[in-house]
Amino acid sequence: MTRTRVKICGLTREQDVDAVVDAGADAIGFVFYPPSARFVTSERAAALSKRVAPFTSIVGLFVNPDPADVRAALDSLPMHLLQFHGDEDEAFCRQFGRPYLKAVRMRPGVDLIHYAALFESAQALLVDAFVEGFGGGGQTFDWSLIPTGLTRPLVLSGGLSPENVEDAIRRVRPAAVDVSSGVEASKGIKDARRIAEFIAGVRNADG
């Protein structure tokens, strides 16, 4: 049985990093997008990253960034994976020489197979809900929009929570799931109990 990987995104506090690591998440995400309520500076992310256990991946999320800002973040902390949520093209994403995820904002009419062909160098596509602006806003999308026969790995995001993640995995069978607001007490403040319940739901779906 394939094990679904888990990323908890939008960490801003030491106790939240500790809760995510203790719960056994595979990856944590820092948001380097200033308009976000979960934004952290490179310096803050570097301090938080010191609490991350070995073999837990650190992911940096960017939206239409200046390349210099990406490089500054890479110089500040040991990021294993980049995540691009804006209008970046493949050449932009791959210029940093790191594995990356490219987000696709799903809605009727989006051709995910065509999108995958445009980003052949991406480690995976992250499918999220379409909303005005950037970020899923805690909203789910119609999972049936994901075509069968897609050969690229998928990271499922958008409105996931402890209440729906088991069903989501059973229906979509993604390589990984990504959650932020679904395990929060308030914006940018994670809830350790909901993190543990979310990961338990993932494990139940895999079992």
Side-chain angles (χ1 to χ4, degrees):
M1 178 66 71
T2 300
R3 184 172 75 82
T4 307
R5 268 54 182 181
V6 180
K7 172 174 166 279
I8 311 292
C9 196
L11 300 177
T12 62
R13 307 187 303 167
E14 286 82 358
Q15 57 265 49
D16 296 339
V17 173
D18 293 346
V20 169
V21 171
D22 290 345
D26 300 282
I28 69 168
F30 295 121
V31 176
F32 298 108
Y33 180 50
S36 171
R38 302 166 186 92
F39 168 72
V40 289
T41 63
S42 295
E43 293 77 17
R44 178 63 175 151
L48 292 171
S49 71
K50 297 184 188 309
R51 309 178 77 90
V52 177
F55 308 119
T56 301
S57 297
I58 298 173
V59 184
L61 186 155
F62 300 88
V63 179
N64 297 327
D66 186 306
D69 292 336
V70 179
R71 293 191 176 95
L74 286 167
D75 288 342
S76 297
L77 66 150
M79 284 190 288
H80 306 96
L81 190 67
L82 303 177
Q83 184 173 323
F84 293 106
H85 273 253
D87 303 311
E88 306 90 356
D89 61 16
E90 187 192 29
F92 183 95
C93 295
R94 70 176 186 233
Q95 69 178 296
F96 305 102
R98 293 291 173 90
Y100 73 91
L101 305 176
K102 185 66 181 76
V104 186
R105 301 160 70 203
M106 295 299 294
R107 60 177 172 177
V110 171
D111 186 340
L112 198 57
I113 292 176
H114 175 67
Y115 211 93
L118 293 177
F119 289 90
E120 290 186 344
S121 61
Q123 188 166 41
L125 297 179
L126 183 145
V127 287
D128 200 353
F130 182 93
V131 296
E132 295 302 322
F134 294 97
Q139 298 182 29
T140 58
F141 65 92
D142 181 358
W143 298 326
S144 70
L145 293 173
I146 300 172
T148 58
L150 187 70
T151 58
R152 303 302 303 283
L154 280 184
V155 179
L156 182 63
S157 186
L160 296 179
S161 69
E163 292 74 26
N164 68 8
V165 70
E166 189 170 344
D167 181 49
I169 291 171
R170 292 185 189 279
R171 290 176 59 184
V172 178
R173 288 299 175 191
V177 289
D178 187 359
V179 65
S180 183
S181 61
V183 293
E184 287 184 337
S186 60
K187 283 190 176 182
I189 305 299
K190 298 297 190 265
D191 182 315
R193 177 183 59 82
R194 288 185 66 78
I195 289 169
E197 289 174 351
F198 185 88
I199 293 178
V202 175
R203 301 298 170 240
N204 286 339
D206 285 349

